[in-house]
Amino acid sequence: MNTIVGKQSICFQRPPQIVSAASVVGKKESEGPLGALFDEAEPDPMAGQATWEEAESALQKRAAQLAMRKAAELPGPGVPPVRYLFSGDLLGQLIATSFGVMDLKLPLFGLYGACSTIGEALMLGAMTVQGGYSEAVLALTSSHFGSAEKQFRFPLGYGGQRPLSATWTVTGSGAFVLSGSGGHAKITGATPGKVIDYGVKDSMNMGACMAPAACDTICAHLADFGRKPEDYDAIVTGDLGNVGRKILIDLTAERGYDISARHQDCGILIFDPEKQDTHSGGSGCACSAVTLAAYLLPKIERGEWKRMLFVPTGALLSTVSFNEGQSVPGIAHAIVIEHC
Protein backbone atom coordinates (compact mmCIF):
# COMPACT_ATOMS: atom_id res chain seq x y z
CA MET A 1 0.00 0.00 0.00
CA ASN A 2 1.21 3.50 -0.79
CA THR A 3 2.20 5.86 2.00
CA ILE A 4 -0.52 8.31 0.87
CA VAL A 5 -3.95 6.69 1.13
CA GLY A 6 -7.24 8.09 -0.13
CA LYS A 7 -8.06 11.76 0.36
CA GLN A 8 -6.39 12.44 3.70
CA SER A 9 -4.87 9.32 5.26
CA ILE A 10 -1.40 7.90 5.79
CA CYS A 11 -0.14 4.31 5.75
CA PHE A 12 3.10 3.61 7.59
CA GLN A 13 5.00 1.08 5.51
CA ARG A 14 7.56 0.64 8.29
CA PRO A 15 5.24 1.05 11.27
CA PRO A 16 6.81 2.85 14.23
CA GLN A 17 6.27 1.05 17.52
CA ILE A 18 5.10 2.32 20.89
CA VAL A 19 7.88 1.04 23.12
CA SER A 20 6.75 2.56 26.41
CA ALA A 21 3.88 4.52 27.92
CA ALA A 22 3.35 6.34 31.21
CA SER A 23 0.28 7.71 32.97
CA VAL A 24 0.25 10.09 35.93
CA VAL A 25 -3.15 11.18 37.26
CA GLY A 26 -4.83 13.06 40.06
CA LYS A 27 -6.82 11.81 43.04
CA LYS A 28 -10.24 11.80 41.37
CA GLU A 29 -8.96 9.83 38.40
CA SER A 30 -7.31 7.28 40.70
CA GLU A 31 -10.70 6.72 42.35
CA GLY A 32 -12.40 5.91 39.03
CA PRO A 33 -12.89 2.57 37.26
CA LEU A 34 -9.34 2.60 35.82
CA GLY A 35 -7.65 3.77 39.02
CA ALA A 36 -5.57 0.66 39.63
CA LEU A 37 -4.10 0.75 36.12
CA PHE A 38 -2.38 4.14 36.21
CA ASP A 39 1.36 4.30 36.87
CA GLU A 40 1.22 7.08 39.43
CA ALA A 41 -1.53 8.94 41.30
CA GLU A 42 -0.88 12.36 42.81
CA PRO A 43 -3.14 12.92 45.86
CA ASP A 44 -2.32 16.64 46.06
CA PRO A 45 -4.18 18.63 43.36
CA MET A 46 -1.43 21.25 43.60
CA ALA A 47 1.30 18.58 43.27
CA GLY A 48 3.33 20.54 45.80
CA GLN A 49 3.33 23.65 43.61
CA ALA A 50 2.05 27.19 44.10
CA THR A 51 -0.46 27.29 41.19
CA TRP A 52 -2.67 24.97 39.15
CA GLU A 53 -0.55 25.66 36.10
CA GLU A 54 2.68 24.73 37.85
CA ALA A 55 1.00 21.57 39.11
CA GLU A 56 0.11 20.57 35.55
CA SER A 57 3.69 21.18 34.43
CA ALA A 58 4.94 18.97 37.25
CA LEU A 59 2.64 16.12 36.19
CA GLN A 60 3.81 16.43 32.59
CA LYS A 61 7.46 16.29 33.60
CA ARG A 62 6.86 13.18 35.72
CA ALA A 63 5.05 11.35 32.92
CA ALA A 64 7.77 12.20 30.39
CA GLN A 65 10.56 11.04 32.67
CA LEU A 66 8.73 7.82 33.53
CA ALA A 67 8.07 6.93 29.88
CA MET A 68 11.71 7.52 28.96
CA ARG A 69 12.91 5.54 31.97
CA LYS A 70 10.69 2.61 30.98
CA ALA A 71 12.09 2.72 27.45
CA ALA A 72 15.66 2.79 28.74
CA GLU A 73 15.04 -0.26 30.94
CA LEU A 74 13.71 -2.49 28.15
CA PRO A 75 15.70 -5.72 27.66
CA GLY A 76 17.83 -6.38 24.59
CA PRO A 77 19.76 -3.78 22.63
CA GLY A 78 17.64 -1.00 24.10
CA VAL A 79 15.78 1.94 22.62
CA PRO A 80 17.84 4.83 21.18
CA PRO A 81 17.73 8.10 23.12
CA VAL A 82 14.74 10.34 22.45
CA ARG A 83 15.71 13.02 19.96
CA TYR A 84 12.52 15.10 19.64
CA LEU A 85 9.52 15.88 21.81
CA PHE A 86 5.97 16.47 20.52
CA SER A 87 3.75 17.95 23.22
CA GLY A 88 0.97 20.38 24.02
CA ASP A 89 -1.77 21.25 26.49
CA LEU A 90 -4.91 23.39 26.84
CA LEU A 91 -3.42 26.50 28.38
CA GLY A 92 -2.62 29.73 26.56
CA GLN A 93 0.70 29.59 24.69
CA LEU A 94 1.19 26.00 25.93
CA ILE A 95 2.62 27.15 29.25
CA ALA A 96 2.08 23.80 30.99
CA THR A 97 4.28 22.20 28.35
CA SER A 98 6.98 24.87 28.04
CA PHE A 99 7.58 24.99 31.79
CA GLY A 100 7.02 21.27 32.27
CA VAL A 101 9.55 19.99 29.72
CA MET A 102 12.16 22.70 30.12
CA ASP A 103 14.45 20.55 32.27
CA LEU A 104 14.28 17.63 29.81
CA LYS A 105 16.50 19.57 27.39
CA LEU A 106 14.84 18.05 24.32
CA PRO A 107 14.01 19.86 21.06
CA LEU A 108 10.29 20.63 21.28
CA PHE A 109 7.51 20.73 18.72
CA GLY A 110 4.71 22.52 20.60
CA LEU A 111 1.26 21.34 19.49
CA TYR A 112 -2.29 22.51 20.01
CA GLY A 113 -5.17 20.27 19.08
CA ALA A 114 -7.20 20.91 22.23
CA CYS A 115 -8.14 17.54 23.73
CA SER A 116 -7.02 15.75 20.54
CA THR A 117 -3.39 16.77 21.09
CA ILE A 118 -2.08 13.30 21.90
CA GLY A 119 -3.40 12.08 18.54
CA GLU A 120 -1.52 14.85 16.76
CA ALA A 121 1.63 14.11 18.76
CA LEU A 122 1.52 10.36 18.04
CA MET A 123 0.85 10.96 14.35
CA LEU A 124 3.66 13.47 13.83
CA GLY A 125 5.98 11.41 15.97
CA ALA A 126 5.27 8.32 13.87
CA MET A 127 5.88 10.28 10.66
CA THR A 128 9.21 11.51 12.06
CA VAL A 129 10.37 8.01 13.00
CA GLN A 130 9.29 6.40 9.71
CA GLY A 131 10.85 9.25 7.74
CA GLY A 132 14.21 8.55 9.37
CA TYR A 133 14.45 11.93 11.06
CA SER A 134 14.77 10.39 14.52
CA GLU A 135 15.27 6.92 15.96
CA ALA A 136 13.04 7.70 18.94
CA VAL A 137 10.59 10.47 19.85
CA LEU A 138 8.38 11.30 22.81
CA ALA A 139 4.66 12.13 22.47
CA LEU A 140 3.26 13.92 25.51
CA THR A 141 0.29 15.93 26.74
CA SER A 142 -1.46 17.03 29.93
CA SER A 143 -4.48 18.75 31.42
CA HIS A 144 -5.64 19.81 34.89
CA PHE A 145 -9.14 20.40 36.17
CA GLY A 146 -8.14 23.51 38.14
CA SER A 147 -6.14 25.20 35.38
CA ALA A 148 -8.76 24.43 32.70
CA GLU A 149 -11.66 25.74 34.76
CA LYS A 150 -9.66 28.86 35.60
CA GLN A 151 -8.89 29.60 31.96
CA PHE A 152 -12.04 28.56 30.14
CA ARG A 153 -14.90 28.86 32.63
CA PHE A 154 -14.97 30.11 36.22
CA PRO A 155 -12.36 30.00 38.99
CA LEU A 156 -13.17 27.08 41.27
CA GLY A 157 -13.84 29.43 44.17
CA TYR A 158 -16.98 30.68 42.39
CA GLY A 159 -18.67 27.32 42.92
CA GLY A 160 -20.53 27.54 39.61
CA GLN A 161 -23.14 24.92 38.76
CA ARG A 162 -22.43 22.50 35.93
CA PRO A 163 -25.15 21.25 33.55
CA LEU A 164 -25.58 17.53 32.91
CA SER A 165 -23.98 17.92 29.46
CA ALA A 166 -20.73 19.14 31.01
CA THR A 167 -17.63 16.98 31.28
CA TRP A 168 -14.94 16.91 33.96
CA THR A 169 -11.42 17.86 32.85
CA VAL A 170 -9.00 15.06 33.70
CA THR A 171 -6.02 15.96 35.87
CA GLY A 172 -3.02 14.07 34.60
CA SER A 173 -0.45 13.50 31.89
CA GLY A 174 0.22 10.72 29.39
CA ALA A 175 3.53 10.05 27.62
CA PHE A 176 4.64 7.62 24.89
CA VAL A 177 8.03 6.76 23.44
CA LEU A 178 7.99 5.78 19.75
CA SER A 179 10.82 3.99 17.99
CA GLY A 180 11.43 1.74 15.00
CA SER A 181 11.41 -1.45 17.10
CA GLY A 182 11.21 -2.76 20.64
CA GLY A 183 7.49 -2.58 21.38
CA HIS A 184 4.44 -4.81 21.19
CA ALA A 185 2.18 -2.23 19.54
CA LYS A 186 2.70 -0.47 16.23
CA ILE A 187 1.16 2.55 14.53
CA THR A 188 0.20 1.37 11.04
CA GLY A 189 -1.90 4.27 9.78
CA ALA A 190 -3.41 7.65 10.55
CA THR A 191 -6.05 10.06 9.34
CA PRO A 192 -5.49 13.72 10.26
CA GLY A 193 -8.76 15.49 10.97
CA LYS A 194 -10.30 18.65 9.59
CA VAL A 195 -11.85 21.50 11.57
CA ILE A 196 -15.60 20.85 11.60
CA ASP A 197 -18.11 23.42 12.87
CA TYR A 198 -21.81 22.67 13.32
CA GLY A 199 -22.41 26.05 14.96
CA VAL A 200 -22.66 24.81 18.57
CA LYS A 201 -22.07 27.70 20.98
CA ASP A 202 -22.58 25.90 24.30
CA SER A 203 -19.14 25.79 25.95
CA MET A 204 -20.53 23.41 28.57
CA ASN A 205 -21.44 20.79 25.97
CA MET A 206 -18.11 19.79 24.48
CA GLY A 207 -19.48 16.44 23.31
CA ALA A 208 -21.87 18.14 20.90
CA CYS A 209 -19.05 20.37 19.62
CA MET A 210 -16.67 17.47 18.93
CA ALA A 211 -18.97 14.68 17.73
CA PRO A 212 -19.30 16.01 14.14
CA ALA A 213 -15.51 16.16 13.81
CA ALA A 214 -15.17 12.61 15.15
CA CYS A 215 -17.76 11.45 12.64
CA ASP A 216 -16.01 13.18 9.76
CA THR A 217 -12.58 11.71 10.60
CA ILE A 218 -13.86 8.18 11.26
CA CYS A 219 -15.85 8.09 8.04
CA ALA A 220 -12.94 9.55 6.05
CA HIS A 221 -10.62 6.95 7.53
CA LEU A 222 -12.88 4.01 6.73
CA ALA A 223 -13.40 5.28 3.18
CA ASP A 224 -9.68 5.94 2.57
CA PHE A 225 -8.62 2.48 3.74
CA GLY A 226 -11.65 0.68 2.31
CA ARG A 227 -12.52 -0.76 5.70
CA LYS A 228 -15.62 -1.40 7.78
CA PRO A 229 -16.12 -0.82 11.51
CA GLU A 230 -15.92 -4.61 11.93
CA ASP A 231 -12.28 -4.50 10.80
CA TYR A 232 -11.42 -3.02 14.20
CA ASP A 233 -11.71 -4.58 17.62
CA ALA A 234 -12.50 -1.12 18.97
CA ILE A 235 -13.08 2.42 17.71
CA VAL A 236 -12.24 4.65 20.66
CA THR A 237 -12.91 8.39 20.75
CA GLY A 238 -11.20 10.77 23.13
CA ASP A 239 -13.71 12.57 25.30
CA LEU A 240 -17.17 12.86 23.75
CA GLY A 241 -18.84 11.67 26.94
CA ASN A 242 -22.33 10.22 27.04
CA VAL A 243 -23.92 13.16 25.22
CA GLY A 244 -21.37 13.26 22.41
CA ARG A 245 -21.37 9.48 21.97
CA LYS A 246 -25.07 9.43 21.15
CA ILE A 247 -24.61 12.19 18.59
CA LEU A 248 -21.63 10.39 17.01
CA ILE A 249 -23.51 7.11 16.65
CA ASP A 250 -26.38 8.92 14.90
CA LEU A 251 -24.11 10.93 12.59
CA THR A 252 -22.02 7.96 11.45
CA ALA A 253 -25.19 5.92 10.87
CA GLU A 254 -26.46 8.67 8.56
CA ARG A 255 -23.28 8.22 6.50
CA GLY A 256 -23.69 4.46 6.25
CA TYR A 257 -21.45 3.26 9.09
CA ASP A 258 -22.81 1.55 12.20
CA ILE A 259 -20.01 1.84 14.78
CA SER A 260 -22.21 1.28 17.84
CA ALA A 261 -20.93 -2.25 18.51
CA ARG A 262 -17.27 -1.20 18.30
CA HIS A 263 -17.34 2.28 19.82
CA GLN A 264 -15.93 3.22 23.20
CA ASP A 265 -15.06 6.62 24.63
CA CYS A 266 -12.23 7.50 27.00
CA GLY A 267 -14.39 10.13 28.69
CA ILE A 268 -16.91 7.44 29.61
CA LEU A 269 -14.29 4.86 30.63
CA ILE A 270 -12.29 7.00 33.04
CA PHE A 271 -14.98 8.08 35.52
CA ASP A 272 -18.04 6.62 37.23
CA PRO A 273 -20.63 9.36 36.66
CA GLU A 274 -22.93 8.14 39.42
CA LYS A 275 -20.33 7.80 42.17
CA GLN A 276 -18.04 10.64 41.08
CA ASP A 277 -20.53 13.28 39.90
CA THR A 278 -18.80 13.85 36.58
CA HIS A 279 -22.03 14.26 34.60
CA SER A 280 -21.39 13.42 30.91
CA GLY A 281 -17.88 12.05 31.55
CA GLY A 282 -14.25 13.08 31.37
CA SER A 283 -12.46 15.50 29.03
CA GLY A 284 -9.15 17.31 28.65
CA CYS A 285 -5.92 16.43 26.84
CA ALA A 286 -5.02 13.90 29.52
CA CYS A 287 -8.32 12.03 29.22
CA SER A 288 -7.48 10.08 26.08
CA ALA A 289 -3.73 10.04 26.78
CA VAL A 290 -3.84 8.37 30.20
CA THR A 291 -6.65 6.02 29.15
CA LEU A 292 -4.59 4.90 26.16
CA ALA A 293 -1.47 4.41 28.27
CA ALA A 294 -3.11 2.57 31.15
CA TYR A 295 -6.05 0.68 29.65
CA LEU A 296 -6.22 0.59 25.84
CA LEU A 297 -2.59 0.06 24.87
CA PRO A 298 -2.10 -2.97 27.15
CA LYS A 299 -5.01 -4.68 25.38
CA ILE A 300 -3.16 -4.27 22.09
CA GLU A 301 0.20 -5.30 23.58
CA ARG A 302 -1.27 -8.49 25.05
CA GLY A 303 -2.95 -9.34 21.76
CA GLU A 304 -6.41 -9.14 23.32
CA TRP A 305 -7.16 -6.61 20.58
CA LYS A 306 -5.40 -6.93 17.22
CA ARG A 307 -6.35 -3.55 15.76
CA MET A 308 -7.78 -0.38 17.31
CA LEU A 309 -8.78 2.95 15.80
CA PHE A 310 -7.85 5.56 18.40
CA VAL A 311 -9.58 8.89 17.72
CA PRO A 312 -8.74 11.67 20.22
CA THR A 313 -11.22 14.53 19.93
CA GLY A 314 -10.81 18.23 20.56
CA ALA A 315 -13.11 21.24 21.02
CA LEU A 316 -11.28 24.28 19.67
CA LEU A 317 -12.60 26.55 22.39
CA SER A 318 -11.03 29.94 22.94
CA THR A 319 -12.13 32.47 25.52
CA VAL A 320 -11.50 35.19 22.93
CA SER A 321 -13.71 33.72 20.19
CA PHE A 322 -16.31 32.52 22.68
CA ASN A 323 -16.66 35.96 24.26
CA GLU A 324 -17.06 37.40 20.76
CA GLY A 325 -20.05 35.12 20.15
CA GLN A 326 -18.32 32.57 17.94
CA SER A 327 -19.16 28.88 17.88
CA VAL A 328 -16.91 26.08 19.14
CA PRO A 329 -15.46 24.05 16.23
CA GLY A 330 -14.16 20.53 16.72
CA ILE A 331 -11.34 18.38 15.40
CA ALA A 332 -10.40 14.69 15.67
CA HIS A 333 -7.36 12.69 14.60
CA ALA A 334 -7.44 8.93 13.96
CA ILE A 335 -4.51 6.61 14.74
CA VAL A 336 -4.44 2.90 13.82
CA ILE A 337 -2.68 0.91 16.55
CA GLU A 338 -2.08 -2.81 15.97
CA HIS A 339 -0.53 -5.70 17.85
CA CYS A 340 3.05 -6.51 16.84
Side-chain angles (χ1 to χ4, degrees):
M1 182 178 287
N2 293 329
T3 301
I4 300 173
V5 181
K7 293 183 177 180
Q8 65 191 75
S9 297
I10 302 163
C11 175
F12 295 108
Q13 297 173 329
R14 300 182 303 279
Q17 298 181 11
I18 302 175
V19 297
S20 70
S23 55
V24 180
V25 299
K27 182 174 184 293
K28 193 178 189 74
E29 292 71 23
S30 70
E31 296 170 342
L34 307 181
L37 303 178
F38 299 119
D39 289 308
E40 295 182 10
E42 172 55 67
D44 177 13
M46 301 297 288
Q49 306 300 313
T51 66
W52 302 121
E53 293 78 11
E54 289 175 319
E56 184 176 341
S57 293
L59 296 177
Q60 191 169 132
K61 181 180 178 180
R62 283 166 59 178
Q65 291 176 328
L66 179 55
M68 290 191 291
R69 186 165 67 247
K70 284 184 177 183
E73 294 172 352
L74 288 174
V79 176
V82 168
R83 183 178 179 89
Y84 297 125
L85 169 61
F86 295 84
S87 184
D89 56 84
L90 293 175
L91 304 183
Q93 291 74 55
L94 306 182
I95 58 171
T97 295
S98 57
F99 285 97
V101 306
M102 190 184 306
D103 293 338
L104 301 180
K105 304 301 181 183
L106 291 172
L108 169 67
F109 292 91
L111 309 176
Y112 183 77
C115 301
S116 73
T117 295
I118 196 58
E120 189 175 356
L122 288 170
M123 187 185 315
L124 294 173
M127 293 167 68
T128 301
V129 171
Q130 178 179 269
Y133 299 105
S134 176
E135 292 181 310
V137 301
L138 180 65
L140 175 68
T141 192
S142 66
S143 56
H144 192 295
F145 177 75
S147 63
E149 292 295 306
K150 176 181 175 182
Q151 175 166 300
F152 292 107
R153 298 185 181 94
F154 302 104
L156 297 181
Y158 281 15
Q161 289 186 314
R162 301 167 60 249
L164 293 178
S165 62
T167 50
W168 189 281
T169 303
V170 168
T171 296
S173 177
F176 305 85
V177 174
L178 308 183
S179 187
S181 61
H184 297 288
K186 57 186 178 181
I187 296 177
T188 59
T191 303
K194 297 176 288 186
V195 177
I196 304 295
D197 185 4
Y198 271 33
V200 179
K201 295 186 176 182
D202 185 357
S203 67
M204 300 297 283
N205 189 354
M206 296 291 94
C209 300
M210 296 183 289
C215 170
D216 187 81
T217 300
I218 291 170
C219 293
H221 174 84
L222 294 174
D224 283 351
F225 281 88
R227 293 173 179 167
K228 306 181 296 296
E230 294 75 24
D231 292 325
Y232 295 89
D233 293 295
I235 297 174
V236 187
T237 48
D239 56 346
L240 299 182
N242 289 297
V243 173
R245 180 183 190 275
K246 295 175 182 177
I247 298 172
L248 173 63
I249 298 301
D250 289 343
L251 290 176
T252 52
E254 289 177 0
R255 295 177 63 168
Y257 295 105
D258 181 4
I259 67 169
S260 58
R262 294 289 190 272
H263 180 254
Q264 297 186 45
D265 184 76
C266 297
I268 297 174
L269 292 169
I270 197 167
F271 290 128
D272 183 328
E274 300 299 326
K275 296 180 180 179
Q276 296 185 283
D277 191 30
T278 51
H279 295 10
S280 186
S283 61
C285 294
C287 183
S288 56
V290 300
T291 303
L292 174 63
Y295 176 69
L296 302 172
L297 187 61
K299 286 181 174 289
I300 293 288
E301 293 174 329
R302 294 191 298 264
E304 184 178 338
W305 289 350
K306 299 300 183 183
R307 179 191 287 163
M308 169 180 65
L309 187 63
F310 178 59
V311 193
T313 42
L316 302 175
L317 172 65
S318 162
T319 53
V320 174
S321 60
F322 179 77
N323 289 333
E324 292 176 350
Q326 297 281 2
S327 57
V328 182
I331 194 167
H333 302 296
I335 313 292
V336 183
I337 305 176
E338 299 189 35
H339 176 69
C340 286

